[in-house]
């Protein structure tokens, strides 16, 4: 089985084929930016992009996504050229403990691909499924709105 992650193709040994994508990312490939939260697809800590759309890696069997374009937080941008969501997150000091934040950023980035000028309500709805135990929700919402501005300015 082959997986294409962050534009790189990996050969996945047969004994990992029944594992979740999250387990393969973290335990086989060392891509630990994607976090294990609930393990049931409910909290959003493991959000990655699957063909550009947000998806929960903990409930995706690795073999089901062979051939798909997978992006993790490590492949979203580069340190020299941050994604607008990452820029906005730094500006707004969004994270507290940080555990949920890779998933928050991946959800926000996928959402902004579908809506370049969201309202506050659009943002709240889009981010609704990503839980934050530290309660950073107000800063997350501000961060997404700011990221939308930064993305528009960059065009
Ligand atoms: Fe701690 Fe969200 S920043 S869980």
């Amino acid at each position: 089985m082959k997986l294409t992650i962050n534009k790189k193709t990996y050969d996945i040994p047969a004994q990992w084929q029944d594992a979740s994508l999250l387990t393969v990312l973290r335990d086989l490939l060392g891509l630990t930016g994607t976090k294990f939260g609930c393990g049931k697809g409910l909290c959003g800590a493991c959000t990655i992009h699957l063909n550009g759309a947000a998806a929960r890696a903990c409930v995706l069997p690795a073999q089901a996504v062979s051939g798909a374009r997978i992006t993790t937080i490590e492949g979203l941008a580069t340190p020299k050229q941050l994604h607008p969501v990452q820029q906005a997150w730094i500006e707004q000091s969004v994270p507290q403990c940080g555990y949920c934040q890779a998933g928050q950023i991946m959800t926000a980035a996928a959402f902004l691909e579908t809506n370049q000028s969201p309202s506050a309500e659009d943002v709240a709805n889009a981010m609704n499924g990503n839980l934050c135990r530290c309660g950073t929700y107000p800063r997350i919402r501000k961060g997404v709105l700011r990221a939308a501005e930064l993305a528009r300015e960059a065009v």
Side-chain angles (χ1 to χ4, degrees):
M1 174 178 72
K2 290 185 194 300
L3 290 180
T4 304
I5 302 163
N6 301 333
K7 299 185 178 152
K8 197 171 156 190
T9 301
Y10 295 87
D11 271 313
I12 307 299
Q15 64 267 35
W16 292 82
Q17 293 187 3
D18 292 332
S20 70
L21 175 61
L22 181 62
T23 299
V24 170
L25 289 173
R26 292 182 55 83
D27 298 349
L28 178 65
L29 304 177
L31 293 167
T32 54
T34 307
K35 301 301 185 207
F36 181 93
C38 66
K40 296 181 187 311
L42 301 172
C43 78
C46 67
T47 304
I48 51 93
H49 292 174
L50 189 64
N51 296 327
R56 305 278 158 104
C58 74
V59 289
L60 280 174
Q63 56 191 337
V65 295
S66 182
R69 185 166 42 89
I70 298 159
T71 307
T72 68
I73 189 74
E74 289 90 346
L76 184 64
T78 65
K80 281 196 178 147
Q81 181 72 58
L82 294 178
H83 189 281
V85 175
Q86 293 170 314
Q87 290 175 41
W89 249 231
I90 292 169
E91 261 187 33
Q92 307 288 326
S93 299
V94 172
Q96 189 162 313
C97 82
Y99 196 83
C100 71
Q101 297 291 333
Q104 305 280 2
I105 288 169
M106 295 306 279
T107 297
F111 165 63
L112 291 176
E113 289 295 322
T114 67
N115 187 341
Q116 282 80 42
S117 299
S119 66
E121 193 184 354
D122 295 335
V123 170
N125 288 335
M127 301 306 297
N128 198 23
N130 280 72
L131 305 184
C132 173
R133 288 171 291 188
C134 300
T136 64
Y137 300 112
R139 296 202 297 272
I140 287 169
R141 289 172 192 157
K142 266 195 199 164
V144 180
L145 289 169
R146 177 64 182 140
E149 271 176 18
L150 288 169
R152 288 195 300 271
E153 285 167 18
V155 175

